[in-house]
Amino acid sequence: MTTSDVAQDAKKAPAKDPWELPDVSGLVVGVLGGTGDQGRGLAYRLAKAGQQVIIGSRAAERAQAAAGELGLGIEGAGNAECARRSDIVIVAVPWDGHAKTLEGLREELAGKLVVDCVNPLGFDKKGAYALKPEEGSAAEQAAALLPDSRVTAAFHHLSAVLLQDPEIEAIDTDVMVLGESRADTDTVQALAGRIPGMRGVFAGRLRNAHQVESLVANLISVNRRYKAHAGLRVTDV
């Protein structure tokens, strides 16, 4: 190695520690679909961790009622107001209302960091099975519908039962986080890490969201077979 090679190597910045994540404690988190089980559970856990949370619903009164039941300073509002007032917006609406909800909030979600946690699933006598949206996944559908938003995908594999249980102090699971911008996925990882026991793990770009969303069908089968509330842990990281 020549002297110039050594000098060049010395100028290279050290690799960023992937676990060096931003402080997100001051960000306002909105939860669209916050009156449903998953949305309520996420709102409860984040608020309990000290995050300012706003629940959104098509009916503001329903959101306000849910917020009152949860306490912890959680607010309730209509979906549009929830989106406008939040820094990060978690989409936890039912799959059959996913596209319509996001289409109606394109303006309010412009410039926002959007976290899609919707799982496109079907159910029949054999149980749950994955659906394949035309765009490839729910997250990719969100990105197509919200061209002025920064869309990520996360929080798919969490048990709503565990999230809402006040007797459980920690949720022992990893959250797979996908997105196009590392800064955005770092922010979502940090948000997941606010919940005791939970860890956010970068899992690729949005084009890989379909298999992450689809895995929920397998977890439902696990839960039914073993009477459990299964989550995921990623080993060796």
Side-chain angles (χ1 to χ4, degrees):
M1 181 178 289
T2 66
T3 303
S4 60
D5 290 334
V6 173
Q8 187 66 31
D9 286 344
K11 292 179 181 178
K12 292 180 180 179
K16 181 179 180 295
D17 181 351
W19 299 111
E20 184 181 327
L21 301 172
D23 178 8
V24 297
S25 59
L27 299 180
V28 179
V29 179
V31 185
L32 302 180
T35 58
D37 288 339
Q38 194 79 355
R40 284 173 65 102
L42 284 168
Y44 171 71
R45 288 292 164 176
L46 289 169
K48 191 175 182 181
Q51 212 74 36
Q52 184 178 345
V53 177
I54 303 172
I55 284 178
S57 175
R58 286 178 297 176
E61 298 80 8
R62 188 166 58 182
Q64 290 160 1
E69 292 170 5
L70 291 171
L72 299 171
I74 297 171
E75 297 180 63
N79 280 333
E81 181 183 347
C82 173
R84 278 195 301 267
R85 293 177 55 197
S86 301
D87 301 304
I88 303 176
V89 179
I90 298 173
V91 181
V93 300
W95 167 240
D96 58 7
H98 184 260
K100 185 177 180 180
T101 299
L102 296 183
E103 283 175 339
L105 296 172
R106 184 173 297 169
E107 182 177 341
E108 289 81 1
L109 291 171
K112 306 285 185 176
L113 175 52
V114 174
V115 187
D116 201 296
C117 69
V118 175
N119 303 302
L121 298 176
F123 295 86
D124 60 18
K125 292 181 179 179
K126 294 181 180 180
Y129 60 94
L131 302 175
K132 185 70 176 284
E134 181 179 347
E135 298 84 356
S137 64
E140 288 170 294
Q141 183 183 85
L145 293 171
L146 303 172
D148 298 320
S149 302
R150 292 138 47 214
V151 176
T152 60
F155 300 115
H156 301 90
H157 306 136
L158 306 180
S159 164
V161 173
L162 298 184
L163 288 173
Q164 294 184 81
D165 189 342
E167 299 299 317
I168 295 176
E169 291 298 323
I171 306 294
D172 184 26
T173 193
D174 285 335
V175 171
M176 299 181 79
V177 181
L178 303 97
E180 301 304 315
S181 161
R182 191 60 56 86
D184 290 340
T185 56
D186 281 355
T187 297
V188 180
Q189 285 180 253
L191 186 65
R194 295 273 289 160
I195 300 174
M198 198 175 290
R199 181 180 67 158
V201 178
F202 174 73
R205 294 180 179 270
L206 287 186
R207 68 181 183 180
N208 293 320
H210 172 64
Q211 57 263 37
V212 173
E213 296 169 0
S214 300
L215 188 58
V216 174
N218 302 90
L219 290 177
I220 290 172
S221 296
V222 170
N223 290 336
R224 287 181 175 175
R225 173 64 170 163
Y226 298 102
K227 311 300 182 188
H229 302 292
L232 294 179
R233 275 296 189 200
V234 180
T235 62
D236 202 35
V237 292

